Amino acid sequence: MSRTIKPVLLLLATMLLALTAACGSSSGKEELTTVKFSEVIRSIFYAPHYVAMSQGFFKEQGLNVDMNTAQGSDKGAAALIAGTADVSMVGPETTIYIYNQKGDKTLKVFHQLTAKDGSFLLSREKIENFAWSDLAGKTVIGWRPGSSPQMVLNSMLLKEQVSGVNVVTNIASTAMAGAFTSGQGDFIQVFEPIASTLVNEGKAYYVTSLGEDFGAYPETSYVATSDYIKAHPDVLKKFTAAVAEGAKWLNTASDDEIAKALRPFFEGTPDDLILQSVNRYKAQGTWPTDPELTQDQFDILQNVLVENGVLKAEDKVTKMDDIVDMSFVRQLGKSD
């Protein structure tokens, strides 16, 4: 090899090493932190979260969300305790249950995703001018005992003084629609997009919104263990920012953009039903502009738990901060 070629090769090798090092440094900056995430069920009720995933808001925050569906708040809470989930989207009542068990771990709400119940009541027969008294003597396919939609429905029946309603609570959430279409029950309580799908297919009639009729209720929260919050405050700050951006985006995006963003999470659901579902949730004020769990909301939650017999009055959590940490929400919009 000539003496002229050797310096050239050496120069090229040096440049290649430098380029490799630079690329390695750059990729290091783009490396994402994985968050093991458990959602309670799959529903457009949680649209801001799916938007944050599809629009890259989590990625912009340096996070990779590894999502699975628990099919129940109890299972989502169990995943946190077992360490198979870092963050769970569950009913905030789970934090109260775990706290009162006085175990080794406690859970804390760090972001309030929804401000209303997300279920809708459908009927087998068309009903004009529905009144809650129409449920007397009828069978409703509902949710498991102690779940938020089950307690909201029961509280509505108590409020309206309706008795003699047979609420079926032992059918798995994934089998409820099938049970209804096969002939079981006079009514069914479901979330979107299942509600719109059943109505659109002519298998049920829309009756009313539990969210609108019941009013304010903190149904779904993001929850993590106290230990995880202490160890990873930077992760939860970014997580909160991404979800908040998702909720904000939903209020300004076009119909085409919304359908495209949610379509991957609801395969087989037509775009018009996705949009109908989103608009129903928007209309009832499902997604608060300020995702903070307030003392008033917390009081409503505990009163519902007591009313439904899943919490004794003397076991109410008197200090909300023991199971709620809104510090990340309060940092939204503030510069570092």
Side-chain angles (χ1 to χ4, degrees):
M1 184 178 294
S2 70
R3 295 180 179 178
T4 304
I5 295 176
K6 285 183 178 179
V8 174
L9 290 176
L10 182 61
L11 177 61
L12 289 173
T14 303
M15 292 174 64
L16 181 60
L17 286 172
L19 180 60
T20 302
C23 289
S25 175
S26 175
S27 64
K29 292 181 181 178
E30 296 175 359
E31 186 176 350
L32 303 178
T33 299
T34 295
V35 178
K36 295 177 292 183
F37 172 70
S38 174
E39 63 172 351
V40 58
I41 60 171
R42 178 63 52 86
S43 170
I44 290 176
F45 191 42
Y46 315 124
H49 184 91
Y50 309 132
V51 165
M53 292 183 71
S54 67
Q55 298 307 110
F57 298 146
F58 282 117
K59 187 175 181 180
E60 288 174 5
Q61 293 289 339
L63 303 179
N64 169 52
V65 176
D66 180 11
M67 182 168 70
N68 70 79
T69 307
Q71 300 297 351
S73 286
D74 54 340
K75 296 179 180 65
L80 292 175
I81 298 298
T84 56
D86 301 320
V87 174
S88 285
M89 177 202 293
V90 294
E93 69 277 1
T94 58
T95 63
I96 297 173
Y97 300 154
I98 299 299
Y99 179 80
N100 282 337
Q101 288 176 9
K102 307 298 182 184
D104 296 333
K105 293 186 178 181
T106 57
L107 307 182
K108 282 194 171 186
V109 174
F110 66 88
H111 183 121
Q112 186 60 39
L113 181 63
T114 62
K116 298 282 184 70
D117 177 75
S119 64
F120 300 88
L121 189 67
L122 309 182
S123 64
R124 189 172 300 284
E125 305 294 335
K126 190 173 183 178
I127 299 176
E128 300 290 348
N129 302 316
F130 169 76
W132 280 95
S133 57
D134 293 336
L135 295 183
K138 302 296 184 180
T139 296
V140 181
I141 294 180
W143 294 75
R144 67 172 180 81
S147 64
S148 287
Q150 182 271 325
M151 291 188 291
V152 168
L153 174 59
N154 188 56
S155 289
M156 274 302 306
L157 295 175
L158 292 173
K159 177 182 177 182
E160 296 294 326
Q161 299 182 337
V162 181
S163 59
V165 184
N166 176 32
V167 181
V168 179
T169 60
N170 62 353
I171 299 176
S173 60
T174 53
M176 288 170 59
F180 184 77
T181 57
S182 69
Q184 295 185 49
D186 304 298
F187 295 83
I188 186 171
Q189 180 190 12
V190 286
F191 287 70
E192 292 286 13
I194 296 175
S196 290
T197 299
L198 290 174
V199 171
N200 187 63
E201 293 177 348
K203 297 176 179 177
Y205 294 91
Y206 178 85
V207 174
T208 193
S209 161
L210 272 294
E212 289 183 357
D213 289 359
F214 187 77
Y217 184 75
E219 181 145 314
T220 318
S221 305
Y222 288 104
V223 174
T225 65
S226 298
D227 292 341
Y228 188 86
I229 291 174
K230 290 178 182 178
H232 304 283
D234 54 330
V235 171
L236 296 187
K237 179 181 178 182
K238 294 173 181 178
F239 193 102
T240 294
V243 176
E245 188 66 22
K248 181 180 178 182
W249 184 90
L250 273 172
N251 289 325
T252 58
S254 67
D255 285 351
D256 287 344
E257 289 172 327
I258 292 173
K260 182 179 179 181
L262 295 178
R263 193 181 300 139
F265 302 94
F266 300 94
E267 294 182 3
T269 302
D271 287 357
D272 60 332
L273 293 190
I274 289 177
L275 293 170
Q276 180 177 317
S277 302
V278 170
N279 289 332
R280 270 188 176 158
Y281 283 132
K282 279 184 177 181
Q284 69 179 35
T286 296
W287 304 305
T289 54
D290 180 4
E292 179 172 353
L293 178 59
T294 65
Q295 183 66 56
D296 285 346
Q297 293 170 335
F298 189 69
D299 291 343
I300 290 172
L301 171 66
Q302 294 208 101
N303 288 339
V304 167
L305 299 181
V306 171
E307 184 175 54
N308 279 271
V310 297
L311 179 70
K312 295 180 180 179
E314 60 268 26
D315 290 335
K316 281 186 175 182
V317 177
T318 56
K319 187 179 178 183
M320 189 175 76
D321 288 348
D322 286 338
I323 54 174
V324 176
D325 184 348
M326 290 290 107
S327 62
F328 306 108
V329 166
R330 291 168 186 155
Q331 292 178 54
L332 289 173
K334 296 180 180 180
S335 59
D336 293 329

